[in-house]
């Protein structure tokens, strides 16, 4: 039986392909994987239990799974210059759960970035396991610069003596100074965990400072700037490898999703290709151009610009909230997400921010000229949020632009 026999699923998947092809994907955490990555993740690798690790499985018939997982591990180590890699985490959140449990125990104290300032749910939010299991001391950004206040981080570490310092963010447009975090951690003899989920592709390409020399343990997703399948990855020093592996399996997972592990191997291979460096550099150039276009039109940006793939709009002076802006941009074919900004007066369901990111459109081949066009459209829409004719006109322009940068032209699903 083919999937076309299951019409409700088939039709929704066809519609999703069309949506991806005909709209502008500006969600900072999303990307478009290659046909090769999709082939691996939709393959017979999904049919097998492979609990354990290469050469040490709890099921028979794993020899090809061993080959593929070993390739994924070797490529991840080469890509980031790390001693050890675990490629089994099902997601970024699971990677963080396993990493925490390799270093600290429930009740431990962690110093991590405040969600409202750009941190992640898994860095100590009350509604997440991290906030339930750990005693959380949050750090944030400076009220004027919107950059992480490293003096404050050092002072908080000294005052609270945390068991772990966590660096990494989901809505932070500036380079994170991992060397400075490493220095504080080393001076105060506190382990450092880095969650590089958003910027892993930039780190792999050498266009963002690498945390590898400074961190005891590093977690990431594989599906954001790294442009792999949905999943997680953990890197660490040799001394922590054995414990980490046991915390992933059997600690918090059963059988690995081997179709995703195969797809990770393919994606890491792609990221090792010299063309990936050019891709990552283009992501940043595109974000700068988008940021400058918006600034020229008087749109306020958190931190006043960007060093990475993220542009965070500050709508506090605007007539629309983050939620309203997300909705009107979507009606013009521009997909974004509302996001809290530092010192946001609005709750998370409303917010005063819009987060934009360039990884997906850069994958489509769009460059500076397209970013100027898109920045202008966004500024036009935000300046006249009630003008539904304008949104319709731009929607037509968006579809034309998407046609010039075809996505998955030969796919049916
Ligand atoms: C996206 C993200 C995660 C979580 O990844 P999931 O795969 O969605 O669980 C964790 N940490 C940071 C910093 C992220 O940006």
């Amino acid at each position: 039986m083919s999937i076309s026999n299951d019409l409700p699923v088939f039709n929704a998947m066809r519609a999703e392909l069309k949506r991806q092809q005909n709209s502008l994907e500006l969600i900072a955490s999303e990307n478009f994987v290659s046909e090769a990555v999709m082939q691996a993740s939709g393959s017979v690798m999904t049919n097998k239990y492979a609990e354990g690790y290469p050469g040490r499985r709890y099921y028979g018939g794993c020899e090809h799974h061993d080959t593929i997982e070993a390739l994924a591990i070797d490529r991840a180590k080469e890509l980031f210059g790390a001693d050890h890699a675990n490629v089994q985490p099902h997601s970024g959140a699971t990677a963080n759960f396993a990493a925490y449990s390799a270093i600290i125990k429930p009740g431990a104290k962690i110093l991590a970035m405040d969600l409202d300032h750009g941190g992640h749910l898994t860095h100590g939010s009350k509604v997440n396991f991290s906030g339930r299991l750990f005693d959380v001391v949050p750090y944030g950004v400076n009220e004027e610069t919107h950059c992480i206040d490293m003096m404050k981080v050092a002072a908080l570490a000294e005052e609270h003596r945390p068991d772990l310092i966590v660096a990494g963010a989901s809505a932070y447009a500036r380079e994170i100074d991992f060397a400075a975090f490493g220095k504080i951690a080393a001076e105060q003899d506190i382990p450092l965990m880095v969650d590089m989920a958003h910027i892993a592709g930039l780190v792999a390409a050498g266009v963002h400072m690498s945390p590898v020399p400074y961190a005891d343990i590093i977690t990431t997703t594989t599906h954001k700037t790294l442009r792999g399948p949905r999943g997680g990855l953990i890197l660490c020093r040799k001394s922590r490898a054995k414990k980490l592996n046991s915390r992933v399996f059997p600690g918090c997972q059963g059988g690995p999703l081997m179709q995703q592990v195969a797809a990770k191997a393919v994606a890491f291979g792609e990221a090792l290709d010299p063309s990936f460096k050019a891709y990552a550099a283009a992501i940043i150039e595109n974000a700068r151009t988008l940021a400058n276009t918006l600034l020229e039109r008087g749109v306020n940006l958190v931190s006043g610009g960007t060093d990475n793939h993220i542009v965070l709009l500050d709508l506090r002076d605007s007539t629309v909230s983050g939620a309203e802006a997300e909705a009107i941009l979507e009606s013009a074919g521009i997909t974004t997400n509302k996001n809290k900004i530092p010192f946001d007066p609005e709750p998370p369901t409303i917010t005063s921010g819009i987060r934009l990111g360039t990884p997906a459109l850069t994958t489509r081949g769009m460059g500076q000229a397209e970013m100027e066009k898109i920045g202008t459209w966004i500024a036009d829409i935000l300046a006249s949020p009630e003008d539904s004719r304008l949104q319709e006109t731009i929607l037509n322009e968006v579809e034309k632009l998407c046609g010039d940068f075809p996505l998955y032209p030969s796919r049916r699903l």
Side-chain angles (χ1 to χ4, degrees), residues 4-5 23 32 50-51 102 110 119 123 150 155 168 188 205 210 218 229 237 252 257 294 303 327 347 355-356 392:
S4 59
N5 293 99
S23 61
F32 300 116
E51 281 178 356
I110 65 170
H123 297 186
M150 294 309 302
Q188 305 200 35
S210 170
I218 298 165
R237 302 201 172 116
C252 72
L257 309 176
L294 290 163
S303 86
R355 189 184 64 165
L356 307 177
E392 226 169 276

Side-chain angles (χ1 to χ4, degrees), residues 19 48 83 95 97 108 172 221 223 245 291 330 333 347 394 398 404:
R19 187 194 68 82
K48 184 95 195 78
D83 285 353
F97 186 88
Y172 186 67
T221 55
H223 49 270
N245 280 353
E330 185 155 6
I394 292 175
V398 163
D404 294 338

Side-chain angles (χ1 to χ4, degrees), residues 29 91-94 96 120 122-123 168-170 195 197-198 221 223-224 231:
S29 48
S91 70
T94 314
N96 282 348
H120 189 260
T122 55
H123 297 186
S170 298
D195 176 352
H198 259 265
T221 55
H223 49 270
K224 298 178 182 172

